[in-house]
Amino acid sequence: MDVRQHLRSALAAALDGAGIGTEPEQIGIERPGNPAHGDWSSNVALATAKRAGRNPRELAQELADTLNADPPRHVTAVEVAGAGFVNFRLAPSWLHDVLAGIVDAGVGEFARSAVGAGSSVNIEYVSANPTGPLHAGHGRWAAYGDSLARLFERCGYEVTREFYVNDRGTQMSLFGASLTARKAGEDPPEGGYFGEYVVEWAQEMPADADPVAWGTERAHLDQVEVLASMNAEFDHWASENRLAQSGAVEAALAELTEGGFVYESEGATWLRTTDFGDGQDRVLIKSDGQPTYFLPDIAYHQQKYSRGERLIDILGADHHGYVSRMTAAMQMLGHPADSYEVLIGQHVTLIRDGAEARLSKRAGQMVEARDLVELAGADVARLTFLLQSIDTTQTIDVDLVVAESSENPVYYVQYANARVHSLARQAARRGVALSPLAEVDLSVLTHPRELALLRVLSELPDTVERAMLARAPHQVTTWARECAAALHGFWHDCPILRDDIDEEVRQARMWLVEATRIGLGVSLDLLGVSAPESM
RNA sequence: GCCCCCGUAGCUCAGUGGAUAGAGCGUCGGUUUCCUAAACCGUGCGUCGCAGGUUCGAUUCCUGCCGGGGGCGCCA
C-alpha cells in the first residue's frame, strides 16, 4: 500500500473514533510545498468540521492526539498547524520503501496504473490532407497525440492511434491539377497549390501517372516518414475514399433519417443538430446533390467506434466550431455523450528569420516539420512541443531553437540519463559489483539530496495518472525536468565510486541511481524521446 | 453579437481550492585533487489582467469587464 492510502486509512479510523464517518477516498492528502509543514498533510479537519459542527482546529488536535497515541508506520509526529491542517512527519524509511518498490516494479511496471484496464480508446490526430508535407505546426499534434496515447497505455487502456486521410474531394482535384500544371511548366490553377514542393514532386511524377493517385501516395509517404522520425507511429490509416466505397456514408444517413433527425429544406438535406445543443442545424447534402464534408465525417466516426469504445479527436483551434455538431451526431447514433471527446489545441506560430512564417500549404513558403527535425533533431523537436499545455498558443522561433539546441531542456534530462548509465560503466571498470537489493541497507540514505531525489521519484505514479486524466502530457515533461534536477543535485553532492565512500553507502546510492534510471526511462518513453546511455 | 483558449518574474512558460506562488533563459557572482562542468550553488520589491461573488480559505471555482489569439459557410 502506498503511503497516501496508508495515511488515509489511519485518518479514517481516527475520524471514526471522533464520531465522524468518512470514506477514506474522500480524505485529502497532499504534499505541502513548505517542508516546515511536514512530509504529508491533510485538510480533512477543515473540510469536515462544519458538517460535524466542530471547530476545525480542535478537531484536528483530537485527530492528531489519537494518531500520536499509536502512530501509523513511518510516522514520527502528527502536528496541527494553521487553521486546522493535520501534518505528518515521516521517517526517511517511507522513501526507502519507495525505492525498493520502484526497483521491484522496473521500467515495465513502475508508474503503471490499472484505471483503464478493460477499456479501449481510439485517438485520432494530425490527419493532415494528403496534399503536401506536414508543416511544423502538425508536429505539435504528432508529439501531443502520440504521448497522450502512451499515457493511456501506461494507465491500462487498449489504444488505437488513428490518422484520417481525406483523399477525396475538391482539394484533391486541385492538388492533382497543380501537379499536372507544374509538370507542364505552368502555374497551378486558381485556388491550387503553389508550394515549392509541388514543383519538385511534379518532376518526380511519371508522365503516365494519375496525378491525384500518385500525388496522394507521394504526400502520404512523405508524412509517414516525418512522423516516424518524430517517433509517432499509427495503428490505423483511414481513407475517406475507402469509406465512401464501403457504403458507410449511405448507412449513416439512413440511420440518422430513421431516427427522425433529418429534414429537407431549400433543396438541401439537413441534420437537426440543434436538438443536441448545436447553435444551428447543419447541411448533410447540398442542394446540388453533393454531400458536405460533414456527412462522410459522421460515417467515419461511427465506424471508429469499432476500433475503440471511447473516441478522442485532437484538432486545432480553428476547428472548435465542429465539436458541437459532431457531438450531436454521435448522440443521434446512440453513443453516450461522454464517449466522444474533442481536444482542441491552440496553434503554433513559427518565427523564422525574425518573421512569422506562414503555415498554409497553398500559399507556399512554409516551415515543414521535416525542416524542424533536420535542423534541431528529433528529440529537441518533439520535446519542444511537449513543454507547454496545448491550451496555450506556442511560439517557436526556429532559429532560436536551433541555435540554443544545446540548452534545450531535452539535453538536461538526457544528460541525467547518461550520467546514470555512466555510473554503471565506471563501476564495471573499477570492479565495483552491485549487491542484491535485499542485502543492501537503504537506511543509510539520509542526505537531503538523496531524500529529495526519492521524493521526486515517489511522485511519478501520481503524475502519470493525473497527466492522463487531464490529457496533459506536458506534466510528464515537467516531472522529467524535476527528476533530472534532483539527480544532478544528488550527483554533485553525493559521490558514489570515490575511494573514501563507505561500501554500505555506495551500494545504497547505486540502487538509488538504478531507481532513477527506471523513473527517467519511464518518463522519456512516455514523451517519446530517446534515452541515450552516453552523450 | 455569439462560442473556445490564453492573460503568473525582464523574456518563455510551469503550478495549486489552502498555510512564505515556482522553473528555464537572461544578469551578476561563486563551485572541480572527486563517477562527463551538457552539472551544481547564490542572486528576483510578481498588484498571479481588473471588479464583484461563492468559501473557514481564491492566483486556482462562478459572473461581468478589459487585452491577445482562434472560430462563427449549402468550404474542409
Side-chain angles (χ1 to χ4, degrees), chain A residues 317-372:
Chain A
D318 54 333
H319 283 77
H320 107 267
Y322 168 98
V323 179
S324 49
R325 76 192 66 167
M326 187 57 75
T327 304
M330 290 304 104
Q331 289 177 77
M332 290 172 184
L333 293 173
H335 302 290
D338 65 357
S339 71
Y340 174 65
E341 184 178 343
V342 185
L343 303 176
I344 297 294
Q346 300 303 308
H347 285 159
V348 174
T349 304
L350 284 151
I351 309 286
R352 196 164 189 187
D353 301 328
E356 190 171 323
R358 304 194 70 86
L359 288 181
S360 162
K361 277 198 279 270
R362 299 193 188 190
Q365 200 251 334
M366 64 177 194
V367 179
E368 295 182 20
R370 182 183 298 276
D371 298 336
L372 196 62

Side-chain angles (χ1 to χ4, degrees), chain A residues 124 301 304 311-315 322 326 340-343:
Chain A
E124 185 207 329
H301 280 76
K304 276 205 288 188
L311 261 43
I312 294 182
D313 284 353
I314 297 169
L315 300 172
Y322 168 98
M326 187 57 75
Y340 174 65
E341 184 178 343
V342 185
L343 303 176

Side-chain angles (χ1 to χ4, degrees), chain A residues 289-309:
Chain A
Q290 289 301 307
T292 61
Y293 80 97
F294 185 37
L295 180 55
D297 249 24
I298 293 171
Y300 168 55
H301 280 76
Q302 169 76 326
Q303 204 180 64
K304 276 205 288 188
Y305 275 102
S306 67
R307 296 185 291 274
E309 61 200 30

Side-chain angles (χ1 to χ4, degrees), chain A residues 263-535:
Chain A
Y263 64 93
E264 306 281 327
S265 174
E266 301 167 52
T269 304
W270 298 71
L271 189 64
R272 195 175 288 107
T273 52
T274 48
D275 280 4
F276 290 86
D278 195 6
Q280 61 190 89
D281 290 341
R282 307 290 170 176
V283 172
L284 293 173
I285 299 172
K286 297 184 266 184
S287 50
D288 66 2
Q290 289 301 307
T292 61
Y293 80 97
F294 185 37
L295 180 55
D297 249 24
I298 293 171
Y300 168 55
H301 280 76
Q302 169 76 326
Q303 204 180 64
K304 276 205 288 188
Y305 275 102
S306 67
R307 296 185 291 274
E309 61 200 30
R310 170 185 285 278
L311 261 43
I312 294 182
D313 284 353
I314 297 169
L315 300 172
D318 54 333
H319 283 77
H320 107 267
Y322 168 98
V323 179
S324 49
R325 76 192 66 167
M326 187 57 75
T327 304
M330 290 304 104
Q331 289 177 77
M332 290 172 184
L333 293 173
H335 302 290
D338 65 357
S339 71
Y340 174 65
E341 184 178 343
V342 185
L343 303 176
I344 297 294
Q346 300 303 308
H347 285 159
V348 174
T349 304
L350 284 151
I351 309 286
R352 196 164 189 187
D353 301 328
E356 190 171 323
R358 304 194 70 86
L359 288 181
S360 162
K361 277 198 279 270
R362 299 193 188 190
Q365 200 251 334
M366 64 177 194
V367 179
E368 295 182 20
R370 182 183 298 276
D371 298 336
L372 196 62
V373 171
E374 284 174 2
L375 290 168
D379 286 339
V380 169
R382 177 139 177 170
L383 199 84
T384 296
F385 288 121
L386 294 173
L387 281 173
Q388 65 189 74
S389 157
I390 57 155
D391 288 341
T392 60
T393 54
Q394 181 170 34
T395 304
I396 297 180
D397 186 326
V398 180
D399 303 306
L400 212 61
V401 167
V402 173
E404 296 180 350
S405 67
S406 66
E407 291 163 18
N408 191 286
V410 75
Y411 291 114
Y412 186 74
V413 178
Q414 288 181 324
Y415 183 49
N417 191 70
R419 281 185 147 175
V420 161
H421 284 88
S422 92
L423 179 77
R425 286 192 300 272
Q426 286 295 327
R429 216 178 64 190
R430 299 177 185 214
V432 177
L434 182 61
S435 307
L437 182 63
E439 296 167 18
V440 174
D441 180 11
L442 296 176
S443 70
V444 299
L445 296 175
T446 54
H447 191 284
R449 296 288 207 176
E450 296 166 337
L451 300 179
L453 178 53
L454 282 168
R455 272 190 203 97
V456 172
L457 289 169
S458 76
E459 284 161 7
L460 185 59
D462 270 0
T463 300
V464 168
E465 206 170 302
R466 263 207 332 272
M468 182 278 290
L469 289 171
R471 280 81 165 114
H474 76 278
Q475 292 180 356
V476 176
T477 310
T478 303
W479 182 89
R481 296 171 75 176
E482 282 167 5
C483 182
L487 184 278
H488 288 311
F490 160 76
W491 202 264
H492 187 267
D493 291 351
C494 300
I496 300 169
L497 299 176
R498 216 166 64 187
D499 293 342
D500 60 331
I501 300 299
D502 278 356
E503 184 59 22
E504 219 176 21
V505 171
R506 176 177 297 141
Q507 289 292 327
R509 286 181 174 169
M510 285 175 75
W511 277 110
L512 174 54
V513 170
E514 167 61 9
T516 308
R517 180 189 72 80
I518 292 167
L520 286 172
V522 170
S523 60
L524 288 171
D525 180 65
L526 288 169
L527 296 170
V529 167
S530 65
E533 299 189 0
S534 66
M535 288 173 71

